[in-house]
C-alpha cells in the first residue's frame, strides 16, 4: 500500500512537471500549426463515428427507460426536459470523454511510448529539439479544443436518438419535444458541460503524454503504459466530474 501510494505521488509529480513544461513550450515561438492541424484531424474527425454511435444509443436508451418510468405517473411529457439536463450537464461530456480517453488516450500513449523505447525522443533531444514542443503541445491543444466540439455533437446526436424513441414509442410530437426542452434548459446547463469537456480534454491528453514519455521495457512496456493511461484517464474523468459538478453548482 505504501509503495503504491509513493508511485501515485511520483506519477502526479511527473504530470505536474510535464504540465508546466507544456504550458511554457506552448507560449514559445514558433507555433507548430501544421502539427496542430494534423492532431485536430486525428482527435476530432476520426473520433466522430465512435462518439456519434455512443451518443445516439445512449439517447435512445435514456428516453426508453425514462419514458417507461414516467408513463406510470402520467409524466412522460417531461422526458425532453430531463434528457436535456442529463445530456448537457453530465452524460454528454462524461461519455464523450470516456470514449476519447479510450481511443485517443491509448493512441497518444502508444505513439509516444514507441518513440521512447526506440530512442527517437532521445535523438530529438540530441538534435536540440524539444519533444514537448513537437509531440506533447499539439496533442494537448488538439484534445482540449476538440473535446468540447465533440461534446456538442454528442449532445445533439443524443437528443436525436431520444427524439426517435419519444415519437415512435411514447407518442410525443417532435415539435413539443424540442420546445419543451428549450423552454426548460438554461445556457448554464450547456456551458457547464463544455467547461467540463475542456478540463477532461486536458486531463486525458496530459496523462496519455506522461505515460507515453515514461514508457520503458520495449513493446511490453508500451502495452503496460497504454493500459495504465486508459485506466488513469477514465478514473480521472469520473473523479474530477464530481468535483467539477460541485463547483458549477456552487457558481450557480
Amino acid at each position: 500500500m505504501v509503495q503504491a501510494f509513493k508511485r501515485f505521488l511520483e506519477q502526479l509529480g511527473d504530470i505536474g512537471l510535464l504540465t508546466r513544461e507544456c504550458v511554457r513550450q506552448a507560449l514559445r515561438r514558433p507555433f507548430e500549426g501544421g502539427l496542430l492541424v494534423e492532431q485536430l484531424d486525428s482527435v476530432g474527425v476520426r473520433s466522430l463515428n465512435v462518439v456519434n454511435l455512443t451518443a445516439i444509443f445512449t439517447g435512445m436508451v435514456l428516453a426508453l427507460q425514462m419514458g417507461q418510468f414516467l408513463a406510470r405517473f402520467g409524466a412522460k411529457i417531461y422526458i425532453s426536459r430531463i434528457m436535456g439536463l442529463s445530456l448537457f450537464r453530465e452524460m454528454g461530456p462524461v461519455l464523450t470523454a470516456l470514449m476519447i480517453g479510450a481511443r485517443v488516450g491509448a493512441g497518444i500513449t502508444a505513439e509516444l511510448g514507441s518513440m521512447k523505447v526506440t530512442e527517437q525522443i532521445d535523438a530529438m533531444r540530441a538534435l536540440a529539439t524539444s519533444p514537448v514542443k513537437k509531440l506533447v503541445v499539439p496533442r494537448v491543444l488538439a484534445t482540449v479544443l476538440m473535446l468540447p466540439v465533440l461534446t456538442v455533437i454528442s449532445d445533439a446526436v443524443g437528443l436525436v436518438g431520444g427524439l426517435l424513441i419519444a415519437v415512435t414509442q411514447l407518442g410525443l410530437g417532435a415539435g413539443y419535444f424540442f420546445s419543451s426542452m428549450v423552454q426548460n434548459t438554461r445556457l448554464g446547463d450547456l456551458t457547464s458541460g463544455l467547461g467540463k469537456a475542456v478540463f477532461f480534454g486536458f486531463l486525458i491528453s496530459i496523462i496519455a503524454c506522461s505515460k507515453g514519455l515514461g514508457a520503458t521495457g520495449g513493446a511490453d512496456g508500451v502495452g503496460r503504459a497504454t493500459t495504465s493511461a486508459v485506466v488513469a484517464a477514465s478514473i480521472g474523468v469520473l473523479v474530477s466530474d464530481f468535483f467539477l459538478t460541485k463547483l458549477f453548482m456552487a457558481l450557480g
Side-chain angles (χ1 to χ4, degrees):
M1 182 66 71
V2 175
Q3 293 297 327
F5 184 69
K6 287 182 178 180
R7 287 197 299 270
F8 175 72
L9 292 179
E10 290 175 357
Q11 291 174 359
L12 283 181
D14 293 339
I15 292 173
L17 291 174
L18 182 59
T19 299
R20 186 178 65 179
E21 180 65 14
C22 180
V23 172
R24 190 175 71 87
Q25 292 293 340
L27 298 176
R28 292 182 59 185
R29 297 192 178 190
F31 300 111
E32 303 293 342
L35 294 177
L36 177 59
V37 171
E38 180 182 342
Q39 291 303 317
L40 288 172
D41 175 70
S42 177
V43 173
V45 177
R46 299 180 189 179
S47 299
L48 278 175
N49 288 338
V50 66
V51 168
N52 288 340
L53 189 64
T54 302
I56 193 167
F57 280 101
T58 298
M60 292 171 69
V61 169
L62 190 62
L64 189 61
Q65 291 280 14
M66 288 195 305
Q68 295 296 326
F69 177 77
L70 293 175
R72 302 177 190 175
F73 309 98
K76 65 181 180 180
I77 60 174
Y78 301 115
I79 186 171
S80 61
R81 308 178 188 183
I82 301 174
M83 281 200 63
L85 291 174
S86 300
L87 287 173
F88 291 158
R89 282 187 170 272
E90 293 296 330
M91 299 192 71
V94 171
L95 289 177
T96 303
L98 291 175
M99 291 299 101
I100 295 300
R103 182 194 173 276
V104 176
I108 290 175
T109 306
E111 290 173 3
L112 299 188
S114 299
M115 296 180 70
K116 178 67 165 51
V117 299
T118 56
E119 300 181 351
Q120 295 181 53
I121 291 178
D122 293 333
M124 293 179 67
R125 291 194 177 100
L127 295 172
T129 300
S130 171
V132 175
K133 179 75 170 178
K134 294 287 186 180
L135 302 176
V136 176
V137 172
R139 286 166 170 80
V140 171
L141 287 178
T143 310
V144 169
L145 292 173
M146 290 307 302
L147 196 54
V149 176
L150 291 172
T151 298
V152 171
I153 296 173
S154 175
D155 291 340
V157 173
L159 288 174
V160 170
L163 173 65
L164 292 175
I165 297 299
V167 172
T168 60
Q169 300 291 322
L170 305 177
L172 296 179
Y176 175 81
F177 182 92
F178 281 111
S179 63
S180 176
M181 183 198 67
V182 171
Q183 291 172 6
N184 293 275
T185 303
R186 299 178 301 170
L187 181 61
D189 298 326
L190 179 61
T191 56
S192 65
L194 296 181
K196 290 180 181 182
V198 171
F199 182 82
F200 293 158
F202 177 78
L203 185 68
I204 291 168
S205 56
I206 204 69
I207 288 176
C209 290
S210 178
K211 295 289 186 180
L213 293 176
T216 56
D220 184 56
V222 174
R224 289 195 303 270
T226 302
T227 301
S228 177
V230 173
V231 172
S234 300
I235 293 175
V237 166
L238 296 175
V239 172
S240 62
D241 177 56
F242 171 78
F243 293 102
L244 290 172
T245 299
K246 293 285 288 184
L247 174 63
F248 286 121
M249 289 178 67
L251 294 176

